[in-house]
Amino acid sequence: MNSNLDITRIRNIGIIAHIDAGKTTTTERILYYTGSTYKIGDVDKGNTVMDWMVQERERGITITSAVTTCFWKEHQINIIDTPGHVDFTAEVERSLRVLDGAVVIFSAVEGVEAQSEAVWRQADRHKVPRIIYINKMDRLGASFDDAVASVKDRLNVKPLVVQMPIGSEDEFIGMIDLIEMKAYYFRDASGETFDTEEVPEVLRSIAVAKREELIEAVADVDEEALGAYLDTGSVTNGILKNAIRRATLVDIAYPVFLGSSFKNKGIQMLLDGVCDYLPAPIDKEEVIGTTPNGELIKLSADSDGPLAALVFKVMADPYAGILSFIRVYSGTLEKGSYVLDATTDDKQRVSRLLKLHSNKKEDVDLIKAGDLGAIVGVKEAYTGHTISGVSIPLTLDNIDFPEPVVSVAIEPKTITDQDKLDAALAKFAIEDPTFKIKFDEDTSETIISGMGELHLEIIVDRLFREYNVEARVGKPQVAYKEAISKHSRAEGRYIRQTGGHGQYGHVVFNVAPLEVGKGVVFEDKTKGGVVPRDFMGAIKEGVSGASETGPLLGYPVSNVLVELIDGSYHPVDSSELAFRIAASKAFKEAVSKADPYLLEPIMSVEIIVPMSFLGEVINSISSRRGNVKGINERGNTSIIQSYIPLATMFGYTTALRTVTQGRGSFSMVFYKYDRVPTTIQEEIIRKEKGDF
């Protein structure tokens, strides 16, 4: 790695898309053509560099986001290859948090699909500039124009089409660059070389018209291009490229490239697009750091500025120990230096710094602002923590993750396996913020929760393979939540006198419903110091602990406002323990009196079926308490958008195949939590309590 590289030549990008759109295949070609690997990896053969886990290679899917570095035309490109499956959406979320730009891949056959729409919205939230790559132009049914139309319709954005294909399906042989007006032919099967020629006469009029459309689209979003167009009736290549870059950086338009990654066509042009149009770290908005006293400081990508780096991923490496993946936003992180984990206020020494190439590592002496890498030796620097300088402590905004929606009970087969199970699950929880562990005291079971059946299946598989843990696993269950429907008031006291100092804690709570997604919010409404501020932390802990187990079925309580309105203390006997217990008692009683109810995860489900089966599929949605929100037609195929409770979706793959004679498919992403209908809630409670 060249530590003196100009920061304007660094690109931190993600490869994001729907599952099976070709993310890993595209990344493997990028690594090959940039000289980072000497052999092209193949997902089907299980020999890719980026999908290095056994579970990834067996299933042909990406499970964990992999980080790598390559170089192209004097640019350093740091790439994160992210999963496409909805169960691993946290990997996309944490990657987008630290990326400057992204390549979004759509299949030329399917266009924009449910999960690709979901990751596009994730990128919107993080304000990540994107370029679009229409892949699989060689596939039967490929249509570049239809894919671009689906981008306009489904995403409601402005695509800037900078290339047009020469042929499609098995006759796809190259593309025309609409800026340079050159044709590129891929006659070499390896894709390493291509021929640059004049635009063929048979396509010239179409290419000229497409270039005019591109100029008009760019002029519509860029004043300089518009001025040149109005003055001269045309736009030079230089002005056009600069205008496309400006529009891309501010997220108002998106250049569109095309190719066939599997057939090694179009990758070099895509790499040029990454360098030409996606931002360098210095092009991004300043990030905000917060000092311990609450002062906000703007941080730019300056290697001489105060150190601020965000941990976006943690991985347990069998040789190096715990690796903390970081993005350095400001300053320079040096090997051997002392840093502060500003989230925990823990001063530690950086023993090693690494640049990563998938699961291979390169030792480096420093990582500068704008770059990605990993730290070895900083203990308990978990996802979302900020690494800062000791003299200038700063914290960056944390990373928000979705709540798990599926749970299973897991039990070790032998006593010997118990300790190994506990240790392994604890490591998984550190690595994966969407993986949760809970011990059910009533049943003496360990309950693990995740984002879906596949997510938990991978966890169990890793338990067996990596940690040699034999365990029995129950059937997947929905991770419900509990909420309240009205206000209530409750008092909590904890008083013990055992000789000497006793225990005294007393609180009075009001609780009230909040809108879905707000969690549990605590507010101190007391006056006059009836409860000293020293005990507020303990009261919050008591509320937080009690909220993990609701009164109906023991599911976590959410969407509740807790107001501390009164209480009392003893100058000698009051303690944090006493107030923690008192707060727990008051919260549990208040929630029990506030008409609690169940919340269930609702999924956004996209179902693709032949039109002849439309009626049967709509009936299957209704039978699962689902609602159809829209139906689109693509040829003889119907694309049904619907909202369906997760509880009814277990086994739907088999049911859909039966209804459609094996010709239907579906994908789903989490949409929101919503109230369970009363009759269904009664059934769930009877079933879980065993009252039949």
Side-chain angles (χ1 to χ4, degrees):
M1 185 192 76
N2 180 6
S3 60
N4 295 316
L5 186 74
D6 182 353
I7 194 171
T8 63
R9 294 186 177 275
I10 293 177
R11 300 289 183 270
N12 296 312
I13 68 166
I15 310 289
I16 60 177
H18 188 93
I19 191 169
D20 200 34
K23 296 178 301 302
T24 300
T25 300
T26 301
T27 308
E28 293 294 323
R29 270 51 177 182
I30 288 173
L31 296 182
Y32 180 71
Y33 293 129
T34 57
S36 296
T37 57
Y38 299 100
K39 181 181 178 181
I40 296 178
D42 190 321
V43 172
D44 293 332
K45 293 179 181 177
N47 62 357
T48 60
V49 173
M50 301 301 280
D51 284 350
W52 55 270
M53 289 174 63
V54 175
Q55 293 82 1
E56 293 178 310
R57 292 185 168 183
E58 285 182 348
R59 292 167 172 80
I61 62 171
T62 300
I63 293 169
T64 180
S65 53
V67 183
T68 193
T69 299
C70 60
F71 294 86
W72 182 255
K73 295 184 178 178
E74 299 182 345
H75 287 75
Q76 175 184 315
I77 305 176
N78 298 320
I79 302 174
I80 301 182
D81 175 32
T82 62
H85 197 285
V86 60
D87 284 16
F88 308 105
T89 186
E91 294 289 339
V92 181
E93 188 70 24
R94 61 166 138 213
S95 300
L96 287 171
R97 173 66 171 80
V98 297
L99 294 173
D100 297 324
V103 176
V104 187
I105 303 179
F106 301 119
S107 165
V109 181
E110 288 84 11
V112 177
E113 298 177 87
Q115 181 63 10
S116 48
E117 188 173 354
V119 296
W120 186 276
R121 302 303 176 206
Q122 282 179 284
D124 279 343
R125 286 202 308 274
H126 292 283
K127 298 179 180 178
V128 176
R130 281 143 276 174
I131 62 178
I132 293 168
Y133 175 57
I134 306 297
N135 190 24
K136 302 190 177 184
M137 282 299 302
D138 62 300
R139 290 275 299 276
L140 183 66
S143 171
F144 179 70
D145 290 340
D146 286 350
V148 172
S150 76
V151 168
K152 291 179 181 177
D153 296 340
R154 297 274 310 255
L155 303 178
N156 192 28
V157 297
K158 181 182 284 293
L160 302 176
V161 179
V162 298
Q163 295 178 331
M164 63 172 277
I166 301 176
S168 65
E169 300 182 340
D170 58 355
E171 295 180 356
F172 173 62
I173 56 175
M175 70 268 308
I176 295 171
D177 183 329
L178 296 175
I179 297 176
E180 302 292 340
M181 288 300 283
K182 295 290 183 182
Y184 304 122
Y185 290 92
F186 289 86
R187 298 184 173 102
D188 175 8
S190 72
E192 291 184 68
T193 61
F194 55 90
D195 299 321
T196 303
E197 301 177 7
E198 294 300 316
V199 176
E201 196 62 38
V202 68
L203 293 175
R204 178 168 292 279
S205 61
I206 299 174
V208 169
K210 292 287 185 184
R211 188 178 195 277
E212 190 68 18
E213 289 177 12
L214 172 62
I215 291 173
E216 290 177 0
V218 172
D220 194 40
V221 295
D222 185 85
E223 289 187 5
E224 183 180 339
L226 176 62
Y229 187 58
L230 293 176
D231 289 343
T232 66
S234 184
V235 177
T236 66
N237 292 356
I239 291 176
L240 188 57
K241 290 183 74 170
N242 288 336
I244 292 172
R245 177 175 172 78
R246 284 191 294 270
T248 305
L249 295 188
V250 296
D251 251 356
I252 58 175
Y254 307 91
V256 180
F257 294 80
L258 63 92
S260 168
S261 298
F262 185 68
K263 293 294 180 66
N264 311 312
K265 297 174 182 177
I267 298 299
Q268 294 93 332
M269 295 77 198
L270 179 63
L271 281 165
D272 288 343
V274 167
C275 299
D276 289 342
Y277 303 123
L278 289 181
I282 204 166
D283 295 318
K284 297 286 286 183
E285 291 181 2
E286 295 172 315
V287 299
I288 304 297
T290 306
T291 66
N293 63 9
E295 181 186 355
L296 302 180
I297 297 179
K298 289 184 176 181
L299 301 169
S300 59
D302 180 2
S303 58
D304 295 323
L307 177 62
L310 184 72
V311 178
F312 67 93
K313 181 180 172 68
V314 176
M315 186 177 77
D317 185 271
Y319 305 106
I322 298 294
L323 300 182
S324 300
F325 292 62
I326 49 124
R327 159 72 189 264
V328 180
Y329 284 95
S330 173
T332 300
L333 187 60
E334 297 185 48
K335 175 184 174 182
S337 64
Y338 282 90
V339 297
L340 186 73
D341 183 338
T343 307
T344 60
D345 201 30
D346 190 13
K347 179 182 174 182
Q348 299 194 50
R349 183 175 179 273
V350 178
S351 60
R352 288 175 70 192
L353 289 175
L354 302 173
K355 286 293 288 183
L356 297 152
H357 180 53
S358 185
N359 64 331
K360 297 179 182 178
K361 306 163 191 70
E362 173 196 354
D363 281 273
V364 294
D365 293 328
L366 52 86
I367 302 175
K368 290 185 175 182
D371 215 346
L372 303 177
I375 311 176
V376 181
V378 178
K379 297 178 181 177
E380 298 183 356
Y382 299 148
T383 300
H385 286 203
T386 302
I387 304 300
S388 75
V390 176
S391 59
I392 309 178
L394 294 169
T395 55
L396 303 170
D397 286 344
N398 206 332
I399 307 174
D400 295 324
F401 293 102
E403 290 293 316
V405 294
V406 174
S407 301
V408 297
I410 186 166
E411 179 185 0
K413 288 186 177 180
T414 67
I415 296 175
T416 309
D417 284 322
Q418 182 68 61
D419 290 341
K420 290 196 294 184
L421 175 67
D422 293 342
L425 292 180
K427 283 188 178 179
F428 293 153
I430 289 171
E431 292 180 2
D432 186 351
T434 61
F435 175 67
K436 305 293 184 185
I437 312 162
K438 178 183 176 182
F439 184 73
D440 190 324
E441 295 181 357
D442 294 333
T443 62
S444 298
E445 290 180 322
T446 298
I447 308 296
I448 59 174
S449 302
M451 298 307 298
E453 292 179 82
L454 181 61
H455 187 191
L456 296 180
E457 179 188 317
I458 297 296
I459 293 287
V460 172
D461 191 50
R462 290 184 64 193
L463 281 173
F464 175 71
R465 296 200 196 206
E466 295 175 31
Y467 297 93
N468 297 315
V469 176
E470 294 281 354
R472 287 182 285 268
V473 182
K475 292 182 178 180
Q477 304 290 329
V478 174
Y480 294 100
K481 290 184 180 182
E482 299 186 18
I484 60 175
S485 53
K486 68 178 187 180
H487 293 65
S488 76
R489 180 179 182 276
E491 194 168 3
R493 295 177 185 270
Y494 183 71
I495 303 172
R496 291 288 184 274
Q497 197 65 47
T498 55
H501 286 323
Q503 297 283 357
Y504 185 94
H506 172 220
V507 297
V508 182
F509 286 160
N510 271 345
V511 299
L514 288 176
E515 61 185 275
V516 173
K518 290 296 185 182
V520 177
V521 178
F522 174 83
E523 293 182 1
D524 175 19
K525 296 290 187 179
T526 58
K527 296 179 181 178
V530 294
V531 178
R533 295 197 61 80
D534 291 350
F535 297 119
M536 288 303 160
I539 293 172
K540 289 181 183 178
E541 288 178 14
V543 169
S544 177
S547 70
E548 291 297 313
T549 308
L552 290 176
L553 291 172
Y555 291 107
V557 178
S558 189
N559 314 326
V560 176
L561 172 64
V562 182
E563 296 178 330
L564 174 64
I565 59 170
D566 202 0
S568 60
Y569 74 102
H570 190 281
V572 176
D573 291 347
S574 284
S575 67
E576 289 190 352
L577 173 64
F579 273 102
R580 191 157 50 241
I581 295 173
S584 177
K585 286 184 170 184
F587 180 83
K588 288 181 178 180
E589 182 182 342
V591 170
S592 296
K593 296 193 302 186
D595 283 352
Y597 61 87
L598 289 179
L599 290 165
E600 65 179 343
I602 307 296
M603 311 304 286
S604 177
V605 184
E606 180 180 89
I607 307 171
I608 302 175
V609 297
M611 290 180 65
S612 57
F613 297 105
L614 183 60
E616 291 91 333
V617 172
I618 289 176
N619 288 336
S620 77
I621 294 171
S622 299
S623 69
R624 285 170 165 75
R625 296 193 283 119
N627 294 306
V628 174
K629 67 171 183 176
I631 302 173
N632 297 314
E633 295 180 2
R634 187 189 299 153
N636 292 320
T637 301
S638 295
I639 304 166
I640 308 165
Q641 309 293 331
S642 58
Y643 297 128
I644 309 176
L646 176 62
T648 68
M649 290 300 292
F650 294 118
Y652 189 60
T653 300
T654 302
L656 182 63
R657 285 174 181 163
T658 301
V659 168
T660 63
Q661 298 176 12
R663 298 168 65 191
S665 63
F666 78 96
S667 58
M668 64 181 183
V669 297
F670 173 75
Y671 173 53
K672 67 175 182 178
Y673 269 90
D674 204 358
R675 186 168 185 165
V676 177
T678 303
T679 54
I680 303 297
Q681 176 174 305
E682 291 170 355
E683 289 177 19
I684 295 169
I685 292 174
R686 280 199 304 271
K687 182 178 179 181
E688 295 213 11
K689 290 186 174 180
D691 182 12
F692 297 103

